[in-house]
Amino acid sequence: MTPESTGHPRGIYTLFFTEMWERFSYYGMRALLVLYMVAEVKNGGMGLTDEMAAAIYGLYTALVYMVALPGGWVGDRLMGAKAAVWWGGVTIALGHVVLGIHRTEAFFIGLVIVALGSGLLKSNMSAMVGQLYPEGGARRDAGFTLFYMGINLGALFGQLACGWLGEEVGWRWGFSAAAAGMFLGLVQFKMTQKHVVNIGERLEHEGQNLRREWMLFWTGLAAVVALTALCVAGVVPVDAQKLAQSTARIIGGIALLYFLWAFLLAGLTAVELKRLVVIVVLFLASALFWAGFEQVGSSFSIFAERFTVRKFGSWEVPASWIQALNPLCVIALAPVVAGLWAWLARGGRSPSLTTKVSWSLLMLALGFAVASWAAQRALSTGPVWPSWLMSVVLIHTLGELFLSPVGLSAVTKLSPPRLTGQMMGIWFLGSALGNILAGLLAGEVTGDATAQMPARFMDVVITSGVAGVVLLLLAKPITKLMPGIK
C-alpha cells in the first residue's frame, strides 16, 4: 500500500517514525523517573521522599512543555520548523546520554537538556504535520490521528523496554535505552527528509531583525546554562516543592501575558480574534485535564508499586508498566473513536470541538471516582487487584482521545498562519501547567499524606466534573466563534 493510496502525503510517515522514536525515548525515561528517585540508594536509586520526587517530576514534565513556546518561536522566526525538529532531536539524544552517567549532578543536568530538546522538537513537529495538509478539514484530522498513533507506539515500546531494563537490570540501562531510541529517530529523519522537502522552511517576517533575534536566543540559552550550573553546584539553593508552586504561577502569568499581547498588539483580524478565544478555552481545559491525567507517572506509579498486587506466580510485573497501559489503550481505541466520529458525521450528528473537550473532562472525573474508591479500599484492606488501576487508565485514555488529537488539530486550524508555531507552544504550555499541578497534587497524596488520597481524588472528581458540565452548556456559543472550522 503506497502513501498516496491511503490519501496521505509521504511526509506524514517521515514525521510519524521520527515522533515515534522521540516518544520512545521520552516516555521510556519518564516511566522510570519517579520510581528511580524514590528507590533506596542501596538499590541504585536516589532515596528522595515521595513529595520531593513528585515535585521534580512535575517540574521536569512542565519544563518540556514550557520550552515548547520559545521552541515554536525559534521555529517560526529563526530556523524553520524542520531545522528545529532536527536540532531538538540532537539535543534530546545528548541529554539522555548525560542521564546515563552515574552521578546526581549529571541526572539533573540531563533532565534540563532533554527538556530543552523536547520543547524545541514538539511544537515544530506538530506544525509540520499541519503544513502537510494545507486544505485542513477531515483529512488533516486523519493525519493528526495517524501521527498520534506514532506517539503512542513509541510510548508503549519505550515504557515496556526502558521500564523493564531500569527496574530489572539497572536504572542506567533504562536511561541509555532511551538515548538509543532518539538516535534511531534522528537517523530515520535524515534518511527520509526528502519527503518533507517543501514544508517546515523558515518564512520571512516583515521588519524582522534576524541578527538581533539570534542574539536574544543565544543570550537566553546562556542564561539557562548558567542558572543550571549554579543550581547543580549548590550556589543557588533549590527547594523543588516551592519551586514547583512558583513555576505554576509563572506559567499562568506567561500564558496571560501572551494572550493579552495576541488580543491587543498582534494585529489580528476580527475572525482571528474570535478563534483566539477558542484557543484560550482549549488552553484552560487542557491544563485541567493533564493535571489529573498525569498522575499516571507519579502518584499512580507509586500506587502501583506499593498498593497493587503485581506478583503472579514467580513473576512480578514491573511497576512502571502501568504507564504502558495508556498507549496500548490508545492504539486499541483510537480507531474506534475515529470510527465513532465518522459515523456521527454521516448522520449529521457530529459533536462540536467544545463538546468533545467537555466529554474528556467528564471522563477524567469518572476515572478519579474509580481511583478514589481503589485508594480507600487499598488503605483499609491492603493491596488491590491491578484491575482497579487498569480501569482508571482505560477511562482516562478515552478522555485523552476526546481531547488531545482533536485539540492538536484544532489549534493548527484556529491559529493565524504567522503564529502557528507559537500557538502550538501555547497549547503545550497548557500541558506544562497541567503537569506542574499534577506533580503538586501527587505530593499531596503520597508519602506522609497517603491517607488523604481518597479525599483529594474526590476533589478532582468535583472540579473536572463541574468544568465538563459548564463546557457542555457553552458548546454552542463557543462553536459560533469559529465558523468554517470543522
Side-chain angles (χ1 to χ4, degrees), residues 261-327:
W261 171 83
F263 275 113
L264 302 175
L265 301 174
L268 302 182
T269 66
V271 171
E272 290 173 334
L273 288 171
K274 289 181 180 179
R275 292 176 178 176
L276 186 59
V277 172
V278 183
I279 293 178
V280 173
V281 172
L282 288 174
F283 171 86
L284 295 173
S286 171
L288 178 56
F289 181 83
W290 296 119
F293 181 91
E294 285 298 336
Q295 295 304 307
V296 72
S298 50
S299 65
F300 289 175
S301 286
I302 293 174
F303 188 90
E305 183 184 48
R306 301 173 187 172
F307 300 106
T308 300
V309 176
R310 293 188 290 117
K311 198 159 188 175
F312 299 92
S314 60
W315 181 57
E316 187 172 47
V317 179
S320 58
W321 280 16
I322 183 64
Q323 297 182 54
L325 284 172
N326 168 244

Side-chain angles (χ1 to χ4, degrees), residues 64-418:
V64 168
Y65 291 102
M66 285 175 66
V67 179
L69 181 56
W73 177 83
V74 169
D76 281 343
R77 300 186 67 86
L78 299 185
M79 63 175 65
K82 186 159 53 182
V85 166
W86 169 256
W87 289 110
V90 170
T91 305
I92 292 168
L94 174 62
H96 283 302
V97 170
V98 175
L99 279 171
I101 301 172
H102 194 69
R103 289 183 62 89
T104 300
E105 298 86 353
F107 174 77
F108 290 109
I109 292 172
L111 286 183
V112 173
I113 295 174
V114 173
L116 292 175
S118 297
L120 183 59
L121 184 144
K122 284 182 69 66
S123 55
N124 289 290
M125 182 72 82
S126 298
M128 287 179 70
V129 175
Q131 291 173 25
L132 285 171
Y133 304 90
E135 77 285 355
R139 188 165 171 262
R140 179 182 286 190
D141 287 348
F144 268 101
T145 299
L146 182 61
F147 179 69
Y148 206 66
M149 290 290 284
I151 291 175
N152 285 281
L153 275 174
L156 173 62
F157 293 123
Q159 288 165 340
L160 291 176
C162 298
W164 181 82
L165 283 169
E167 290 190 65
E168 302 298 328
V169 181
W171 299 109
R172 300 301 172 179
W173 283 97
F175 293 136
S176 297
M182 189 65 253
F183 177 75
L184 290 172
L186 287 170
V187 171
Q188 186 277 147
F189 184 75
K190 184 61 70 174
M191 291 178 64
T192 62
Q193 65 178 348
K194 63 183 179 181
H195 300 312
V196 291
V197 68
N198 295 319
I199 67 167
E201 304 298 336
R202 179 182 170 273
L203 301 176
E204 294 295 328
H205 294 262
E206 185 177 352
Q208 180 183 17
N209 187 326
L210 187 58
R211 179 183 176 86
R212 183 174 62 189
E213 292 187 7
W214 270 112
M215 285 295 295
L216 177 63
F217 167 78
W218 289 116
T219 300
L221 184 59
V224 171
V225 171
L227 180 60
T228 302
L230 292 172
C231 291
V232 171
V235 176
V236 176
V238 177
D239 183 318
Q241 291 168 279
K242 291 182 179 178
L243 181 59
Q245 295 168 354
S246 299
T247 302
R249 290 190 285 268
I250 291 171
I251 293 173
I254 290 172
L256 177 61
L257 290 174
Y258 184 85
F259 281 126
L260 287 174
W261 171 83
F263 275 113
L264 302 175
L265 301 174
L268 302 182
T269 66
V271 171
E272 290 173 334
L273 288 171
K274 289 181 180 179
R275 292 176 178 176
L276 186 59
V277 172
V278 183
I279 293 178
V280 173
V281 172
L282 288 174
F283 171 86
L284 295 173
S286 171
L288 178 56
F289 181 83
W290 296 119
F293 181 91
E294 285 298 336
Q295 295 304 307
V296 72
S298 50
S299 65
F300 289 175
S301 286
I302 293 174
F303 188 90
E305 183 184 48
R306 301 173 187 172
F307 300 106
T308 300
V309 176
R310 293 188 290 117
K311 198 159 188 175
F312 299 92
S314 60
W315 181 57
E316 187 172 47
V317 179
S320 58
W321 280 16
I322 183 64
Q323 297 182 54
L325 284 172
N326 168 244
L328 181 63
C329 289
V330 169
I331 293 167
L333 295 176
V336 177
V337 173
L340 173 64
W341 300 150
W343 177 71
L344 290 173
R346 285 194 297 271
R349 296 169 293 171
S350 181
S352 67
L353 168 67
T354 312
T355 299
K356 293 176 183 177
V357 173
S358 70
W359 289 352
S360 74
L361 294 176
L362 294 175
M363 288 291 101
L364 182 71
L366 177 60
F368 267 94
V370 176
S372 179
W373 296 331
Q376 189 171 16
R377 187 183 180 104
L379 291 174
S380 60
T381 64
V384 297
W385 285 100
S387 53
W388 284 94
L389 271 183
M390 292 170 68
S391 299
V392 175
V393 173
L394 173 63
I395 296 167
H396 284 180
T397 300
L398 278 173
E400 178 189 5
L401 289 170
F402 291 160
L403 172 72
S404 194
V406 295
L408 270 172
S409 180
V411 172
T412 65
K413 298 174 189 176
L414 293 165
S415 300
R418 67 184 185 281

